[in-house]
Each structure stands twice: as structure tokens, then as C-alpha cells.
Amino acid sequence: MSRFREPQHQDFQRLNASLSFDRRLWPYDIAQSRAHAKMLARVKIISEQDRDALVGGLDEVEGELREERFPFQESDEDIHMAIERRLTEIVGAVGGRLHTARSRNDQVATDVALYTRARAREAKAAIEGLMAELVRRAEEHVDWPMPGYTHLQRAQPVYLAHHLLAYFWMLARDRQRFVFVEGQLSRLPLGAGALAGVSFETDRDFIARELGFDAPAPNSIDAVSNRDFVLDYLSAAATCATHLSRLGAEIVLWCSSEFGFCELPDAWSAGSSIMPQKKNPDAAELLRAKAPRVAGHLAAMHGVLHGLPLTYNKDMQEDKEHLFDAVDTLELALAAARGMVAGVVFDRERMAQAASDEMIAATDVADLLVRRGMPFREAHGVVAGLVRTAVDSGRALSALSAEELAAQSELLDSDEARADYYKVLERESWIESKVSEGGTALARVREQLDEARAVLTDAPGA
Ligand code: ARG
């Protein structure tokens, strides 16, 4: 029986159906139905025989889904209806008892929560894999000098390890964000019913334990309306994807002949259809381009939820494609980043060469004047004068004469001052001068590596 006299319009059915994308929720739908059936028998809402029939039937349905022989039908609106329909075909009328004390509203909220929790854990593990790879590559290149950049202009030299570890710390924060996402998934929606609770004395604690939640959600209205955890996942994913896009962008630059700092392994490179000499960093470019897609899903999800009256509204079905595509995109991006970081080959000579431009030591010359009592702003001006003199005459800073030094500042007009000046301009001294905590001097990078290893081994949020 139905209250409707006319069938649904075909286009409405197409608009309404979510099966094409929500079928990936099946493992969670089966798990929650199993827990729900057990609970119903525990509190004597159904008999033990009925429970056994339901659980046995769910096992069969699960097998069909796992082996991809589940007979989906045109008329299945979503995965929840499909599973219940099939269960009833298998076990008969008792299948209709499963939905006692449950609504699709608390059901779908629970499935999506379980799914999000599983993917947040997966993201955390994948991030850790990439962090470990960065530490390994940093250890291998601990004292390889390269230019550090601002505005994509050579600024100050750093060690490659220092640069690689910058990504490690971004990812460490990303990992924390996914720990937070998991924490937002500690309360069980199931048992909220359509919105107001159900008219049976159910045992929500039992289901919470079965499904790994800390406790039932305290408010049935909030339980079925809440999709904050989707926003939280998307937000964490968008930030992480943004970090990976910066990594991708640097790989693209560094692999160019102009930089020549590194070469990607063949497994992560593409050829050109017309230029046989080319080796293109397509994977790194895609890493760069995927971030806005994930951020777009976050923005879209804010759009779906904003202004929605409580409680469940069909709008919320739109959470899934945004979430699922973000999950797929992030997981693939993390795998690609790991593959590229693991296999990229750096060119020590090219990097050292690029870092040997003396101009890069200009700040150190200014610091030398500061140590002799000059205020930094003034020293900055003096060194700018030296740089202008050198650039105008096509010479290096170390090639300036005693007279030229003296012309810029009397603090540079003594044998001792000149000796310090030429010393500061010797290659290793610039990079090793950055001795402050968190700086690039080798001893500090080694300290940083120790800290990174420690961060990697302690389980966050545990
Ligand atoms: N497919 C729906 C969704 O994803 C399931 C919940 C439907 N609930 C309802 N009251 N129509 O949101």
C-alpha cells in the first residue's frame, strides 16, 4: 500500500536516487544493521530466532556485496533500501523487523559517521607514511646546500634536509587535524530515530560499544542533523591537499632545466606525444591542481548545510559526493606525493652551484656591521651600497677593494673589519651562521631531525 496514486516521475527518481554513489557505504550499513538486530533482541523487541535470521541474512547480503554479485535493481533508491529489500528476499517477512526503532535518518548519519571515521584513520596513516619518507630523504641529504627562496628569488642558503623537513611539519599538523576529525566522531547517532527518539526502550550504549563509539549522541535532533564531521574531514583534507600542492609546485620547478635540482623517476613521469626528448612532471602538476578541488568540496558542503532548518532535509544527501570525491582525491594525492618523494633524485652540484651566489650572504655582511655596533637598518643600507657597487661593475662582493669598502662605512675601514668581511663571504660560513633554534645550521637541522623522529613515533591523540 502507498499513499500515492501516481508513480514518481522518472526524472524525479533520477534526481532522488543516491545508489550510484552511496553504495560504497555498504560495509557500514551492514555493520550497523547487525549491531541493531542484536540490540533489538537483547532488549526483547524481537526474538532471538528473528535476530539469528536477520544476522544470518545480513551475512549473506554482505557476501553478495563483497563479491560484487548483489542484484541491484532499478527501483533501489539508496543503499539502505537496497540492502533491506535484498535481506527480505533472502529471509522473508522477518526482514521487515530490522527497521524497528530506526529511521533512515539516524541510519544514514551513522553510516556516514562510520565511513568518515575510517577514512580519517586512513588519511592519518597515509600522512604518517609520507612524513616517514620525508625524514628518510632529509637524513640522506642532511648537509646538501641549496638556495632558500622568497618571492622565488634566491634569498639565503639552507640545507636540503631543512627544506624537506618544512613539509614534515606541515604534515604533522595535518595529522593532528585528522586526529581531531576522529575525535568529533565519538558519539553514536543511531537510536535518534527520525528526529525525536523512538518509542522503545532501546540500548544505545550497546550499539555504541559494538560500533566503537564512546557513547550515544545526547540529543536526537542534533544527532540526525549533524554533519559537522563531514565539514571537519573536508577542512582537514583541503589544508592537507593545499600542502601537497605546494610540494607538487616545487617539484615541477625543481625538475625544470632552469632549476635542474632534481629528476623524477620514470614511474612518476610522462612523455610528450610530439617531443621525444621530454620528461614531464605530470604527477607533480596534478598534485598542484588537486587542492582547489578538495577546497571546493568544503565550500560546497558549507553551502549545502548553511541555512538548513533542523533536522534532516534531503539536501543532506548531497554530503556524499563531496565527501567521497575529497576522500578519493586526498588518498591518491598522498600516495603520489609519497611515491615522488621516495623516488626523486636530487642533483647535489646544481643545488650547491645555485647556493654559491655570494649575494646570498648579504644579510650576513649586515649582521657583521651590527656586531660592530651599527643599528641593523643602517647596516642594511650600507650593504645595499656594496651590492650596488658590485652589481654595477659586474663583480662579486668578495672582489670589492678596501677603498670601496671604506667608502660605504668607516666600520669597514680596518684590517680586522676587512678580514671579517672576506671571511663572512666564504661559502660554508653563510649557511652555518644560522645557528638559532629552528635555523639551518647543521647542528640545528640534526636537532630538528631528532624531534621529527620523536614526533613520528609518538601516536598523536593517543
Ligand atoms: N539517501 C538518503 C541520504 O543520503 C538517506 C536518508 C533518507 N531519509 C529520508 N528521510 N528520506 O540522505
Side-chain angles (χ1 to χ4, degrees), residues 16 45 57 89 154 165 200 288 298-299 362 364 384 389 432:
N16 200 30
I45 296 172
E89 283 170 11
R154 285 177 194 164
L165 287 173
F200 292 93
R288 185 170 65 182
L298 172 63
D364 290 87
T389 312
E432 278 302 314

Side-chain angles (χ1 to χ4, degrees), residues 79-354:
I79 188 65
H80 325 290
M81 306 285 265
I83 289 177
E84 193 181 322
R85 173 196 47 83
R86 182 65 187 143
L87 177 67
T88 306
E89 283 170 11
I90 293 173
V91 302
V94 60
R97 294 192 188 275
L98 177 63
H99 212 55
T100 314
R102 181 173 77 169
S103 151
R104 259 194 302 159
N105 297 351
D106 56 346
Q107 183 177 3
V108 72
T110 302
D111 284 0
V112 178
L114 288 167
Y115 173 83
T116 307
R117 190 177 69 190
R119 293 347 285 174
R121 287 179 182 156
E122 176 57 34
K124 209 176 72 180
I127 286 169
E128 275 166 16
L130 179 54
M131 287 164 76
E133 205 55 65
L134 284 162
V135 165
R136 194 176 70 76
R137 301 312 311 264
E139 282 164 345
E140 285 171 9
H141 303 89
V142 68
D143 60 352
W144 289 31
M146 62 171 282
Y149 294 86
T150 65
H151 311 268
L152 201 56
Q153 306 287 320
R154 285 177 194 164
Q156 292 176 335
V158 295
Y159 288 115
L160 177 53
H162 197 47
H163 194 101
L164 290 173
L165 287 173
Y167 285 99
F168 176 93
W169 298 109
M170 293 180 221
L171 288 158
R173 294 191 295 275
D174 289 332
R175 180 171 69 162
Q176 288 306 125
R177 276 181 268 272
F178 283 104
V179 171
F180 172 82
V181 176
E182 229 188 299
Q184 292 304 300
L185 286 158
S186 64
R187 307 295 289 257
L188 169 75
L190 197 65
L195 78 152
V198 297
S199 42
F200 292 93
E201 268 289 353
T202 51
D203 186 348
R204 297 184 69 204
D205 282 314
F206 171 80
I207 299 190
R209 278 198 304 280
E210 287 281 298
L211 297 177
F213 291 90
D214 291 349
N219 180 309
S220 61
I221 290 177
D222 181 44
V224 293
S225 310
N226 178 22
R227 292 293 183 280
D228 292 0
F229 49 86
V230 176
L231 292 174
D232 292 333
Y233 179 96
L234 291 174
S235 168
T239 305
C240 182
T242 299
H243 292 153
L244 299 181
S245 97
R246 297 182 80 168
L247 175 66
E250 294 208 311
I251 294 174
V252 172
L253 281 174
W254 291 11
C255 285
S256 67
S257 318
E258 280 68 17
F259 274 81
F261 285 1
C262 63
E263 187 176 339
L264 281 174
D266 290 356
W268 290 99
S269 305
S272 156
S273 59
I274 180 166
M275 298 164 283
Q277 83 282 10
K278 290 201 70 188
K279 185 169 180 186
N280 293 329
D282 294 34
E285 293 172 88
L286 287 166
L287 206 57
R288 185 170 65 182
K290 291 292 186 189
R293 172 174 175 152
V294 179
H297 289 309
L298 172 63
M301 195 57 205
H302 277 290
V304 168
L305 291 176
H306 100 282
L308 267 195
L310 305 180
T311 56
Y312 178 84
N313 300 269
K314 197 59 177 260
D315 309 50
M316 288 157 77
Q317 178 165 287
E318 283 290 304
D319 60 357
K320 291 171 199 61
E321 285 168 290
H322 294 301
L323 175 63
F324 297 166
D325 186 72
V327 164
D328 294 345
T329 304
L330 181 71
E331 291 183 4
L332 191 53
L334 281 165
R338 183 176 181 170
M340 285 188 273
V341 168
V344 69
V345 177
F346 295 100
D347 186 329
R348 185 170 202 156
E349 261 321 294
R350 281 290 291 231
M351 291 186 137
Q353 181 66 33

